[in-house]
Amino acid sequence: MARLTHSLQLPLVTVEGRNDIDAQAARLSVPARPEWLAARIASLLSPYYEKDTPQAVREMEAEDWVISLTGRPRWAVDAAVRWWKGPDNPMRHRRPFEGDIVARVIVEMGAVRAAQVKINAFDAGVTIPARLPEPERKPMTAEQAAAIMAEVGLKPKTFGGEA
């Protein structure tokens, strides 16, 4: 992932560069095996309290999880699960639903999606700069601020007097 992220920061100007990014993205997109997905989700859900759930219901739940995560790469599912259980997730104390983990997998796959956009642009003959230039920012004058406030019907309050 680090190599792909680095490659995306460079301008894409050659077919070799395009093919390298495509190969990296393809390696990162290999789907996890269903058996592995079922085991990974079982390990995710095991710390959460469960009432006495019949085995048939657990198997249906596992099937729902596998269907939701089918086609997702192992590394991204691992990263999503670790994020869910980690300190950066304020909802880590509640049991996740399939959509919670799928949504995080999509976040984890951001660089792979960016690679595909960059490849498609290259194939279409469009050059995407490595970094977009920062827009020029000018401070707002007091007159501009007053005009905006007047336009929306606000009057600034002043201390010791009327505005």
Side-chain angles (χ1 to χ4, degrees):
M1 179 56 71
R3 183 169 173 236
L4 179 62
T5 303
H6 174 72
S7 297
L8 292 174
Q9 294 173 358
L10 304 172
L12 183 54
V13 294
T14 66
V15 172
E16 292 80 16
R18 178 239 183 257
N19 292 342
D20 181 53
I21 289 175
D22 191 35
Q24 290 178 60
R27 278 192 301 276
L28 291 167
S29 298
V30 174
R33 295 180 46 154
E35 301 83 12
W36 181 87
L37 287 172
R40 189 65 179 110
I41 294 310
S43 73
L44 165 66
L45 299 179
S46 66
Y48 298 99
Y49 172 77
E50 284 190 22
K51 56 189 178 300
D52 292 330
T53 306
Q55 183 63 26
V57 172
R58 287 181 191 233
E59 289 171 11
M60 288 178 189
E61 288 178 336
E63 186 177 342
D64 290 344
W65 275 92
V66 170
I67 289 169
S68 294
L69 291 168
T70 292
R72 313 294 178 165
R74 181 177 175 156
W75 70 267
V77 173
D78 256 342
V81 167
R82 288 187 179 120
W83 174 83
W84 184 269
K85 294 167 82 174
D88 294 334
N89 177 15
M91 296 178 30
R92 68 186 170 275
H93 298 293
R94 76 169 181 84
R95 182 180 170 161
F97 290 108
E98 297 93 320
D100 296 322
I101 301 303
V102 170
R104 186 61 195 196
V105 167
I106 291 168
V107 170
E108 298 295 337
M109 295 286 297
V112 175
R113 287 192 318 279
Q116 193 57 56
V117 168
K118 199 163 190 173
I119 290 166
N120 291 343
F122 180 86
D123 292 348
V126 176
T127 302
I128 299 175
R131 292 192 189 269
L132 295 175
E134 287 291 321
E136 184 180 340
R137 297 180 185 205
K138 296 180 182 178
M140 185 179 293
T141 66
E143 293 79 22
Q144 291 170 320
I148 291 170
M149 291 182 69
E151 185 178 323
V152 295
L154 297 175
K155 291 185 179 182
K157 293 185 178 183
T158 59
F159 292 102
E162 188 81 20

